[in-house]
Every structure is written in structure tokens, then in C-alpha cells.
Amino acid sequence: MVIGFDESNQQPVRFLSMEIFVNGAARQVPDNYTAAELVEALGLAGKRVAMEVNREIVPRSDYAAHCLQPADKVEVVHAIGGG
């Protein structure tokens, strides 16, 4: 992982350094990017979601510890209420 500093506020910043595929679309993310970070970036935090990485279900309880790898194929779905 490459770390630099945001010159405006001197906060550490992770640079984009690997490509994964999310629901078929390429996405650049930092090394050591977790499933939890992806859910947050997709605006789905706190929602009912299911995630599959390389055709394997990732339990929600593992999202924070599950680090994505270069070229991972991730499928994310979320429940939408209706009636």
C-alpha cells in the first residue's frame, strides 16, 4: 500500500493501487481494501446487503476482516422493500 499525505490537512491518504470488479465494473481501490470499506463506498452501510467474492459468500460478520485482492470479482446485492 502506498501512503501519502493530503497537503491541505496533512491527513494520511491511501492511493489507488489495485483493480477489482464490482458487479462487473472495474474499480480502482487501495491495497488492503476491506469488504466493509467497499460497502461504505457504495453507500450501502447499514443496509441489508449480501456479498460474494469470486463466487464465495462473504458473511457480513467477516466484512471488516476480509481484504480484497487484485482482480477479485465482487458481486454485491441489497434488499429493497416493497409490496
Side-chain angles (χ1 to χ4, degrees):
M1 172 172 55
V2 178
I3 295 188
F5 287 92
D6 181 336
E7 292 181 16
S8 65
N9 61 15
Q10 294 300 307
Q11 295 297 313
V13 175
R14 291 189 299 178
F15 294 103
L16 304 181
S17 59
M18 72 173 179
E19 182 177 72
I20 61 173
F21 297 89
V22 180
N23 295 342
R27 184 179 187 102
Q28 294 292 319
V29 298
D31 286 340
N32 300 316
Y33 201 63
T34 66
E37 289 173 306
L38 177 59
V39 168
E40 179 75 29
L42 294 172
L44 298 173
K47 298 188 178 180
R48 296 178 55 180
V49 299
M51 183 181 297
E52 179 184 274
V53 177
N54 301 324
R55 298 185 178 209
E56 297 286 330
I57 298 292
V58 178
R60 188 176 327 188
S61 59
D62 292 348
Y63 285 4
H66 186 95
C67 287
L68 299 168
Q69 301 299 314
D72 273 352
K73 291 176 178 50
V74 183
E75 296 293 325
V76 179
V77 296
H78 64 94
I80 298 174

